Amino acid sequence: MVKHKEKADLVIINANEVLTCTGDQADSIGIITNGWVAIRGEKIIAVGSKEEVNQHIDFEQAEIIDATGKVVAPGFVDSHTHTVFGGSRVKEYAAKMTTSDPAELKRRGIETGVMVSVNKTRNATREELYETTQQKVRRMLEAGTTTVEVKSGYGLSTKDELRILEVAAEVNANSDIDIVNTFLGAHGWPTDMTKEQYIDLIIEEMIPEVQRRNLATFHDVWIEDSHFDVEDTIRLLEAGEKAGLKSKVHTDAYSYIGGSDLAAEMKVVSADHLNYTPPHVMKKMAEAGVIGVLMPTLDFAVAHKRPFDARTMIDSGLTVALATNLNPGNWTDSMQFVMVLACRLYGMSPEEAIRAATINGAKSLLLDNDRGSIEKGKLADIQIWDIPTYEHVIYRLGSNVVERVIKKGKTVVSRNY
């Protein structure tokens, strides 16, 4: 009896290395040498050696991609960004290379701070926000990112917060990258309102509108001594959860006021930044199943006085994800650059960085059931690196090693070097 073989639409053959990113350890990347990957429609239907794939797959009519001398990896999942914003703060960023004196910056006529971005975002047209966001996510895709989280937070009014989320949703519908929306109304508060008035606005008006329009999956709050405290955050997150939004927090970026403890107690999906998080709280978050999202480029861009302690987090059992935190004060669209910094400045191994940029990013968005690794049944979100071994991705400084990006089984980026 002839065994039935499943027909493939696309087969990647002869890869020097296929990185499945399966397994349970912080450095598990599941290397298959001389690996093959078979795809039908949007899904992976087989992965393994030539012999293993040939045993189950009919690829006579499939498109063949020869990955000889190259590395095949899951698409990056960038799980923390603020990609929709107006204008830039390039003058501020450049000036701060040589001075941080507020008086000197004012003398030069340089505006500083988040409210600059809020005002520029409010003043941008919807078309401008859409076009600039499309450009950013295209660059992300070309650098290997196939899924990206996008937060609001540069609106600080109902109209403008909703507009940011609507733009992100529109870009999602019209691009090859998947965008996951997060409502971050609690990114600060406008100058014409008290914090308490603004919290009421978020709870009574913004969250209901986000829910009604189905504009976000997650709800994020910035817990900091200069922003929202633990009591504020409990009110806000509980309101979001009643509306069906899943909780995340920005916390411990510039102070420790109990935000990471709350993250563990409320079992939020992820706690992001974590520069000031004590080791014993890292363990509490690990036990609670919270994902720690780390952003090396943010520390780099602001010359952070207290870089996060990735090594202690990993050793405590905390699952960590890496993200770009693309925003006007930290403009990077490359997860490769993020991994370079994670390894060189934070003591992460290449294996830990790759896993943190793929499957752990997916976990921090509750998407690891269908992406972030190369496994049968998962989405065929795959990148091919024009390098002989995976270590080169953090060795070739400033390079984009991506040759091809496959999104849901279709080639969406193809580069000729």
Side-chain angles (χ1 to χ4, degrees), residues 74-235:
F76 294 129
V77 179
D78 187 351
S79 57
H80 182 127
T81 84
H82 305 255
T83 302
V84 181
F85 57 83
S88 80
R89 281 156 52 195
V90 63
K91 296 293 186 183
E92 174 189 351
Y93 188 87
K96 285 184 174 179
M97 296 300 104
T98 56
T99 182
S100 58
D101 179 10
E104 174 60 18
L105 293 169
K106 185 176 181 179
R107 187 190 68 78
R108 297 186 195 180
I110 297 172
E111 296 180 302
T112 64
V114 170
M115 286 308 298
V116 176
S117 294
V118 170
N119 291 332
K120 288 187 176 183
T121 302
R122 288 176 172 180
N123 291 331
T125 66
R126 187 186 182 97
E127 292 72 23
E128 288 170 339
L129 291 175
Y130 177 85
E131 289 301 322
T132 56
T133 302
Q134 275 280 24
Q135 293 166 11
K136 293 166 199 166
V137 299
R138 183 63 194 177
R139 288 193 295 269
M140 289 176 167
L141 191 66
E142 290 172 352
T145 296
T146 51
T147 300
V148 59
E149 183 257 21
V150 174
K151 302 179 190 293
S152 65
Y154 288 118
L156 303 187
S157 71
T158 302
K159 178 188 74 173
D160 293 299
E161 288 292 305
L162 294 175
R163 187 173 66 143
I164 289 169
L165 294 172
E166 288 169 346
V167 167
E170 187 178 357
V171 173
N172 179 53
N174 295 305
S175 67
D176 293 316
I177 204 167
D178 279 341
I179 294 175
V180 178
N181 274 8
T182 294
F183 170 59
L184 179 60
H187 195 208
W189 56 90
T191 55
D192 60 350
M193 299 180 74
T194 66
K195 183 178 71 169
E196 289 70 25
Q197 289 172 328
Y198 186 62
I199 290 172
D200 289 341
L201 181 68
I202 291 174
I203 292 172
E204 295 170 9
E205 186 171 290
M206 292 187 188
I207 289 174
E209 279 300 301
V210 170
Q211 178 190 31
R212 186 178 71 82
R213 303 185 192 194
N214 194 29
L215 284 175
T217 302
F218 298 100
H219 176 208
D220 200 344
V221 176
W222 190 352
I223 311 173
E224 204 76 60
D225 59 6
S226 57
H227 285 70
F228 299 91
D229 63 26
V230 168
E231 288 72 24
D232 299 330
T233 302
I234 292 171
R235 283 189 63 206

Side-chain angles (χ1 to χ4, degrees), residues 380-401:
D381 286 6
I382 292 170
Q383 53 183 321
I384 300 177
W385 297 338
D386 189 21
I387 50 178
T389 65
Y390 68 87
E391 294 94 341
H392 284 258
V393 75
I394 59 97
Y395 172 66
R396 300 193 182 185
L397 306 180
S399 297
N400 180 7
V401 303

Side-chain angles (χ1 to χ4, degrees), residues 340-410:
V340 167
L341 296 184
C343 293
R344 171 50 64 199
L345 301 182
Y346 297 90
M348 292 179 69
S349 70
E351 297 86 355
E352 289 169 338
I354 290 168
R355 191 170 172 86
T358 55
I359 186 63
N360 291 355
K363 288 179 179 179
S364 75
L365 297 177
L366 302 178
L367 293 173
D368 53 304
N369 63 318
D370 75 350
R371 70 195 71 192
S373 58
I374 299 178
E375 299 181 74
K376 182 178 179 180
K378 286 199 171 184
L379 289 176
D381 286 6
I382 292 170
Q383 53 183 321
I384 300 177
W385 297 338
D386 189 21
I387 50 178
T389 65
Y390 68 87
E391 294 94 341
H392 284 258
V393 75
I394 59 97
Y395 172 66
R396 300 193 182 185
L397 306 180
S399 297
N400 180 7
V401 303
V402 172
E403 179 181 273
R404 184 185 294 257
V405 178
I406 297 165
K407 177 64 181 172
K408 296 180 180 176
K410 302 293 184 183

Side-chain angles (χ1 to χ4, degrees), residues 313-342:
M313 291 183 204
I314 294 170
D315 291 345
S316 73
L318 185 67
T319 298
V320 301
L322 291 172
T324 61
N325 194 29
L326 170 60
N327 69 63
N330 169 45
W331 196 314
T332 182
D333 41 47
S334 172
M335 288 289 281
Q336 296 168 61
F337 181 49
V338 169
M339 291 193 299
V340 167
L341 296 184

